[in-house]
Amino acid sequence: MTLRPFLFLLPVCLAFSQDLTLRPTLQVDDTFELEIIRLREDSRRPQMNGRSRTPIHVRVLESNPKGFLLEWKQGATEFDNPEIIKNPIAAAASNAAKDLVLQLELNPAGQFARLRNEAEVTAKLQTVMESLLAALGRQIPDSQQRQQVDSLVRRLMSPPVLLASATRDSQTYFALNGAMVNKEKPFTADLQQPSPFGGGTIPARFRLTLDSLDAHSASLTTTTTYDPQAVARFSAQLLAQTSPAPHAAAQAAPALHIEDSAAYTYNRAFGLMSDVVVRRRVSASGTLNALDGWDIRLTRRPGQ
């Protein structure tokens, strides 16, 4: 299962009175630093459970009424479980992102709009994927099985998926920008969220709550619950693509439950999140209990 980030974008105008508008107040040449902790737990493969830490350096290249242009540079990722880096896919993903420089365009509300240097990033990620496929091919002596693995990896790691993966952390960090929130009125909406399995969107129910607000900071929480029928349909399609007996695999697929939750601490002085804690829980009765998480901390503020 390929997990993808949730809540990439929120509309600039939500149905709130303007008690608080979440928007960065960045200027050209401002810099700040983040630490991103990725957490993965899977009951099916407990030996691969673990955390990783990645430093991020951000510099503001443009700031004007049209929005912002940020240089987002990722440092080397450290894993607390040595078994993870032995996995060729994990090693390739880590090497692909190291020293990758993203030019992120944000709209005037501070929401992620697009990747300006998309062609450059795509080319680098494609090169890494080809290296990964070559490494996997050397480990699979059977030519037919090797072709099947090659075909599956190319579907699961298509250029759009690779780009979504490259911008996943930044989109998660800026996810709530543009929201106008009111402590007395939690916001709920039916959304079309990117499928955790890739290849489309899944209906989901979203809730945003402003839990506390003072002159310096705000605390917010969100939950996103995915439509179970749509989840079942997408998971069956994925099994059909990967199983030698697709019909039988789809019939035997367990009912999945997916829920995303997040907690945000907003720094009002800079319009940046000082803490973001995101958790995606995937469960199926008796067969699966998985957790995928992001902890993003502002380790150096602008001006420090």
Side-chain angles (χ1 to χ4, degrees), residues 133-146:
L133 288 171
L136 288 174
R138 289 191 290 269
Q139 298 178 23
I140 304 174
D142 182 79
S143 60
Q144 184 175 359
Q145 186 179 8
R146 187 165 59 246

Side-chain angles (χ1 to χ4, degrees), residues 25-62:
T25 56
L26 299 170
Q27 303 298 321
V28 173
D29 291 331
D30 277 350
T31 61
F32 59 96
E33 293 178 359
L34 304 168
E35 180 183 56
I36 299 178
I37 299 174
R38 292 285 287 113
L39 170 66
R40 289 187 176 88
E41 296 177 1
D42 192 329
S43 59
R44 299 165 302 178
R45 304 179 66 197
Q47 72 277 11
M48 300 301 290
N49 291 350
R51 295 173 180 262
S52 66
R53 295 176 180 269
T54 305
I56 304 291
H57 181 83
V58 184
R59 183 165 66 98
V60 181
L61 302 179
E62 297 177 11

Side-chain angles (χ1 to χ4, degrees), residues 97-141:
K98 181 183 177 182
D99 296 327
L100 192 65
V101 178
L102 307 179
Q103 292 183 359
L104 308 175
E105 288 189 11
L106 309 183
N107 68 15
Q111 300 167 332
F112 176 85
R114 75 182 188 96
L115 183 64
R116 179 174 291 187
N117 60 335
E118 179 178 314
E120 174 189 341
V121 171
T122 299
K124 180 172 182 178
L125 294 176
Q126 191 73 28
T127 298
V128 172
M129 189 187 74
E130 294 299 335
S131 299
L132 166 63
L133 288 171
L136 288 174
R138 289 191 290 269
Q139 298 178 23
I140 304 174

Side-chain angles (χ1 to χ4, degrees), residues 135-267:
L136 288 174
R138 289 191 290 269
Q139 298 178 23
I140 304 174
D142 182 79
S143 60
Q144 184 175 359
Q145 186 179 8
R146 187 165 59 246
Q147 291 176 357
Q148 291 174 344
V149 170
D150 185 283
S151 177
L152 175 62
V153 171
R154 290 187 186 278
R155 285 200 303 270
L156 295 179
M157 299 180 67
S158 63
V161 172
L162 289 173
L163 282 174
S165 177
T167 60
R168 173 185 57 198
D169 293 335
S170 59
Q171 294 197 46
T172 299
Y173 182 67
F174 296 118
L176 289 189
N177 282 350
M180 294 179 289
V181 292
N182 181 300
K183 194 172 185 298
E184 304 302 322
K185 297 179 182 179
F187 175 77
T188 59
D190 293 319
L191 303 176
Q192 292 290 327
Q193 291 292 82
S195 166
F197 311 102
T201 61
I202 290 182
R205 184 68 175 171
F206 172 76
R207 179 182 175 89
L208 168 63
T209 303
L210 175 60
D211 299 315
S212 66
L213 176 65
D214 60 33
H216 305 289
S217 65
S219 297
L220 308 100
T221 54
T222 68
T223 57
T224 307
T225 303
Y226 293 80
D227 179 82
Q229 293 182 345
V231 169
R233 184 172 63 254
F234 271 84
S235 60
Q237 291 173 355
L238 180 63
L239 284 172
Q241 292 175 356
T242 59
S243 173
H247 180 71
Q251 292 294 321
L256 292 180
H257 175 76
I258 303 177
E259 181 171 292
D260 298 331
S261 62
Y264 301 82
T265 302
Y266 178 73
N267 185 310

